[in-house]
Amino acid sequence: FFFNDTATTEIYTEQIVGSVRCVQETDPNNYLNRFQKANVLVKLDRLEQALKELEKLRQQIPKEAPIPILMGKIYKKLGRTDKALYFFNIALDLDQRDQQKIKALIESLYQTHEFTEDLDTLQ
C-alpha cells in the first residue's frame, strides 16, 4: 500500500478491515476467511489483532500448519524469538511437506539473534 498522506492511508485501512469483517460476518464458519483476515491485519501491522484471530482459528482447526507458521512469523517480527520458535516447532510437527521451509524459518531466528549479539559486542 502506498498513499500520499496519513489520512488517506487510514481511510483505506479502515475500508479494508471493514470489508474483511463483512466477509467474515457473512460466513463466520469459513476458516479461510478468518485466516485471510489475519493476513490482512499483519500487512496493516496490526500484529496483536492478527494473533488474536489466529489463536481463535487455532482453537477451531488445530492441525493446520499455516496457522502456527504465521503466528511464528508475527512473533519473530515482534522480537519474541521464544514464542516464534514454539510455533515454528508446532508447525514442523504438523506439516511433513514444508519441513525445509519451516526449518529455514527456525534458522532465520538464530541468524537474526546472532547478528544482534555481534552488534551488541561491538558497542
Side-chain angles (χ1 to χ4, degrees):
F1 297 22
F2 179 76
F3 303 111
N4 293 334
D5 60 50
T6 305
T8 304
T9 302
E10 193 61 33
I11 290 169
Y12 282 112
T13 299
E14 291 308 315
Q15 287 177 347
I16 292 167
V17 171
S19 296
V20 171
R21 188 179 305 120
C22 182
V23 168
Q24 188 177 2
E25 289 170 0
T26 303
D27 189 3
N29 294 322
N30 187 322
Y31 303 127
L32 185 57
N33 288 344
R34 189 176 291 273
F35 188 74
Q36 291 301 335
K37 180 180 180 182
N39 272 310
V40 168
L41 291 168
V42 169
K43 287 184 183 1
L44 296 173
D45 208 32
R46 295 183 178 188
L47 303 179
E48 295 298 330
Q49 285 178 281
L51 284 170
K52 288 178 186 175
E53 286 297 322
L54 291 166
E55 193 56 51
K56 291 175 192 173
L57 194 53
R58 201 165 79 91
Q59 298 296 321
Q60 296 170 327
I61 49 172
K63 297 190 187 278
E64 291 294 323
I67 298 166
I69 289 172
L70 185 54
M71 292 177 83
K73 288 178 178 181
I74 293 169
Y75 280 115
K76 179 183 176 187
K77 191 171 184 177
L78 291 171
R80 299 280 315 273
T81 55
D82 57 329
K83 295 285 273 187
L85 181 60
Y86 172 77
F87 283 106
F88 289 150
N89 279 321
I90 289 173
L92 202 55
D93 289 341
L94 292 174
D95 192 349
Q96 301 302 311
R97 295 170 295 137
D98 283 337
Q99 296 254 332
Q100 289 303 107
K101 174 184 170 185
I102 299 167
K103 286 179 181 178
L105 288 168
I106 291 171
E107 288 176 16
S108 75
L109 291 174
Y110 295 112
Q111 291 167 352
T112 303
H113 184 66
E114 289 171 7
F115 181 71
T116 304
E117 284 179 352
D118 290 345
L119 287 178
D120 289 343
T121 59
L122 293 174
Q123 295 177 353

